[in-house]
């Protein structure tokens, strides 16, 4: 994919449905009684992996462009798959489904692509084992493929060393099948869609600060879910509107749940022109339209409790920092190393290739911004967020940028390039 400096970007865009909420709508719908109807479902490869796993577990799922229907069979309605479950590139599928599979009465093997087979699964294997689950890494390396033998589970009180919604959710979902209460405490609050949505489906779940507690016993019941636009996808348009001279973009219907909206805080801290319009609630999640216009940005520090609220947006934030005046420090973000790629390394490689002064650190990066970036050959490392972040960088840089394996954006945003390039006026 080749991209060059863009004319001003103007107009409106509606980004696809939220990836985290789309996954959960299928998973929770599958173990609820009745038919869950989901509109604005993200038709990205990751969410299609979740659909395919639950189909193999005996759940009928109708997927049409207008809506998906998940014909749930209740908490104990899944059946043994006749083949290995394939989570593709999706960490959310792998970790959340492992929690559900731990409480079943059958065995499953769960795998994924080359990236998934390198990502750490001990973080779920340890707490699930404490609950009584039999979950093994087939190659004994702490990664997928995982072999899970369903068992009777016990409630636990667990403190996670990392702020991870995938870990928290995996434990809470296993907690639905346990013989007593399960509490998970995290070091900082990660996205809380599981807590909000499980409560909507009828589970007895409550949150108190950094602790979420689930009490088993309630059946789950089918819901109607309208999935808000994904702020992680909106991030690319926010950045493009801020960075490409003369731009003004309205991004409609974006979920702004505070556990996800850290990028808005960073944009304000960098001096970006951002207006949040029409704030409203949609299926228990706050939603708004976001208006941005081209801005002269300055450096900032991104750290601490804010990190989980923008973890997936850091590649895009790093690109914004490269165009901003002064220094940006990103720290407390060692989790970047275990995403779809090692994003400390892949962001550094891409930005250096474009002429940016960047130093990777153990838990983030230091970016000395303000130099004009030039086009370059960028390896996406098959990481959708790297491809999209550097596509935006290309529009604001001099010369031609080519992105290798650019079609990996299909993981979370199949129509990304058309939507982005269609805004050039
Ligand atoms: C997600 C949680 C985050 C995020 C991922 C989606 C989720 O991962 O990076 O894209 O839907 O729960 P971690 O829980 O590993 O931080």
């Amino acid at each position: 994919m080749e991209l060059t400096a863009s004319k001003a970007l103007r107009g409106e865009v509606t980004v696809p449905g939220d990836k985290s909420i789309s996954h959960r709508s299928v998973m929770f719908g599958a173990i609820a009684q009745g038919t869950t109807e989901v509109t604005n479902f993200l038709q990205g490869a990751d969410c299609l992996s979740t659909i395919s796993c639950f189909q193999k577990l005996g759940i009928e799922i109708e997927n049409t462009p207008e809506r998906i229907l998940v014909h749930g069979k209740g908490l104990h309605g899944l059946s043994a798959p006749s083949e290995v479950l394939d989570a593709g590139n999706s960490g959310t599928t792998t970790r959340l489904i492992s929690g559900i599979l731990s409480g079943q009465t059958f065995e499953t093997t769960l795998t994924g692509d080359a990236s998934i087979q390198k990502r750490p699964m001990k973080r779920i294997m340890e707490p699930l084992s404490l609950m009584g689950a039999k979950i093994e890494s087939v190659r004994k390396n702490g990664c997928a493929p995982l072999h899970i033998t369903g068992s009777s589970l016990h409630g636990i009180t667990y403190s996670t060393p990392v702020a991870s919604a995938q870990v928290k959710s995996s434990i809470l979902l296993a907690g639905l099948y346990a013989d007593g209460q399960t509490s998970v405490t995290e070091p900082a609050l990660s996205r809380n869609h599981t807590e909000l949505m499980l409560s909507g489906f009828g589970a007895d779940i409550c949150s108190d600060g950094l602790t979420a507690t689930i009490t088993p016993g309630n059946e789950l019941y089918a819901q109607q879910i309208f999935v808000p636009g994904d702020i992680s996808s909106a991030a690319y348009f926010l950045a493009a509107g801020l960075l490409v001279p003369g731009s003004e973009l309205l991004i409609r219907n974006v979920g702004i749940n505070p556990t996800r909206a850290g990028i808005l805080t960073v944009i304000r801290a960098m001096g970006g022109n951002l207006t949040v319009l029409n704030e409203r609630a949609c299926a228990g999640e706050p939603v708004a339209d976001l208006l941005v216009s081209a801005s002269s940005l300055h450096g900032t520090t991104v750290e601490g409790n804010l990190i989980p609220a923008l973890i997936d947006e850091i590649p895009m934030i790093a690109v914004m920092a490269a165009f901003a005046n002064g220094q940006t420090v990103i720290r407390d973000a060692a989790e970047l190393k275990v995403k779809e790629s090692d994003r400390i390394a892949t962001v550094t490689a891409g930005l250096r290739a474009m002429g940016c002064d960047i130093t990777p650190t153990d838990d983030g990066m230091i970016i000395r911004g303000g130099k004009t970036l030039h086009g370059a050959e960028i390896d996406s490392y098959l990481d959708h967020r790297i491809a999209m972040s550097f596509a935006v960088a290309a529009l604001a840089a001099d010369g031609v940028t080519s992105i290798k394996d650019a079609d990996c954006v299909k993981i979370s945003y199949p129509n990304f390039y058309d939507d982005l390039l269609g805004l050039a006026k």
Side-chain angles (χ1 to χ4, degrees):
M1 176 89 191
E2 294 213 331
L3 297 136
T4 52
S6 177
K7 288 187 274 184
L9 303 173
R10 302 189 77 84
E12 290 185 20
V13 61
T14 305
V15 294
D18 187 273
K19 182 153 79 72
S20 294
I21 295 175
S22 295
H23 279 300
R24 286 161 173 79
S25 65
V26 172
M27 295 182 183
F28 304 170
I31 56 170
Q33 288 185 0
T35 298
T36 288
E37 179 180 351
V38 190
T39 40
N40 204 34
F41 180 81
L42 170 62
Q43 297 285 348
D46 269 10
C47 299
L48 299 180
S49 295
T50 291
I51 289 186
S52 136
C53 287
F54 279 91
Q55 285 171 330
K56 288 181 183 164
L57 290 163
I59 301 298
E60 192 198 330
I61 300 171
E62 295 174 64
N63 188 357
T64 65
E66 297 76 43
R67 60 179 188 176
I68 68 160
L69 295 176
V70 183
H71 298 286
K73 291 190 173 172
L75 278 174
H76 300 283
L78 301 179
S79 46
S82 56
E83 49 187 313
V84 169
L85 300 184
D86 186 354
N89 191 243
S90 172
T92 306
T93 311
T94 309
R95 297 198 177 107
L96 270 62
I97 209 173
S98 294
I100 295 174
L101 294 173
S102 294
Q104 305 302 314
T105 52
F106 51 80
E107 293 181 29
T108 7
T109 303
L110 173 62
T111 193
D113 68 6
S115 154
I116 273 294
Q117 291 187 37
K118 282 193 239 139
R119 295 180 67 184
M121 293 299 151
K122 272 199 188 135
R123 51 181 58 197
I124 55 160
M125 291 168 67
E126 282 174 6
L128 292 175
S129 300
L130 287 174
M131 296 178 81
K134 296 192 183 71
I135 174 166
E136 279 172 22
S137 159
V138 170
R139 294 200 195 99
K140 312 274 181 234
N141 61 355
C143 301
L146 301 175
H147 185 78
I148 303 173
T149 309
S151 328
S152 49
L153 303 179
H154 318 293
I156 56 167
T157 299
Y158 190 73
S159 289
T160 60
V162 284
S164 159
Q166 293 180 358
V167 173
K168 171 175 65 177
S169 304
S170 182
I171 300 167
L172 291 171
L173 286 167
L176 284 170
Y177 295 93
D179 58 8
Q181 214 170 53
T182 292
S183 287
V184 189
T185 302
E186 2 180 38
L189 191 61
S190 66
R191 65 193 65 191
N192 63 358
H193 304 301
T194 293
E195 296 91 305
L196 295 176
M197 290 177 70
L198 274 183
S199 170
F201 274 87
D204 182 352
I205 184 164
C206 60
S207 298
D208 181 11
L210 301 177
T211 302
T213 302
I214 190 154
T215 307
N218 290 8
E219 264 298 337
L220 305 186
Y221 293 100
Q223 299 296 303
Q224 290 218 324
I225 298 170
F226 177 82
V227 182
D230 196 327
I231 192 164
S232 297
S233 299
Y236 306 107
F237 295 90
L238 292 169
L242 294 165
L243 295 179
V244 177
S247 297
E248 182 174 273
L249 289 181
L250 181 65
I251 307 144
R252 285 207 184 272
N253 187 36
V254 182
I256 54 161
N257 177 320
T259 64
R260 294 289 299 284
I263 187 161
L264 304 184
T265 307
V266 171
I267 288 172
R268 291 193 186 102
M270 295 180 90
N273 298 320
L274 163 71
T275 314
V276 177
L277 299 164
N278 302 325
E279 263 192 77
R280 57 206 184 264
C282 174
E285 293 275 351
V287 167
D289 303 327
L290 305 175
L291 179 68
V292 283
S293 57
S295 308
S296 159
L297 301 179
H298 52 78
T300 186
T301 298
V302 186
E303 63 184 348
N305 292 346
L306 195 56
I307 295 293
L310 47 66
I311 187 72
D312 291 341
E313 288 65 76
I314 290 179
M316 191 68 266
I317 290 170
V319 167
M320 291 198 296
F323 286 96
N325 290 314
Q327 178 169 284
T328 293
V329 178
I330 300 172
R331 58 166 84 100
D332 305 322
E335 278 295 296
L336 291 173
K337 293 183 194 162
V338 292
K339 294 296 178 187
E340 287 84 329
S341 68
D342 171 347
R343 289 183 180 157
I344 296 181
T346 54
V347 166
T348 300
L351 280 180
R352 275 201 181 140
M354 297 183 86
C356 172
D357 183 356
I358 174 169
T359 308
T361 64
D362 263 357
D363 65 348
M365 53 198 89
I366 301 166
I367 296 158
R368 286 162 288 272
K371 282 205 220 160
T372 309
L373 298 197
H374 54 75
E377 293 203 358
I378 301 293
D379 195 336
S380 67
Y381 299 92
L382 293 169
D383 181 335
H384 56 132
R385 303 211 183 278
I386 296 297
M388 291 189 276
S389 300
F390 282 94
V392 172
L395 302 188
D398 289 344
V400 181
T401 295
S402 81
I403 298 180
K404 188 170 169 226
D405 296 319
D407 68 346
C408 63
V409 303
K410 67 178 186 294
I411 290 295
S412 64
Y413 198 155
N415 228 17
F416 174 71
Y417 298 108
D418 286 347
D419 283 0
L420 182 67
L421 301 176
L423 293 165
K425 298 281 152 59

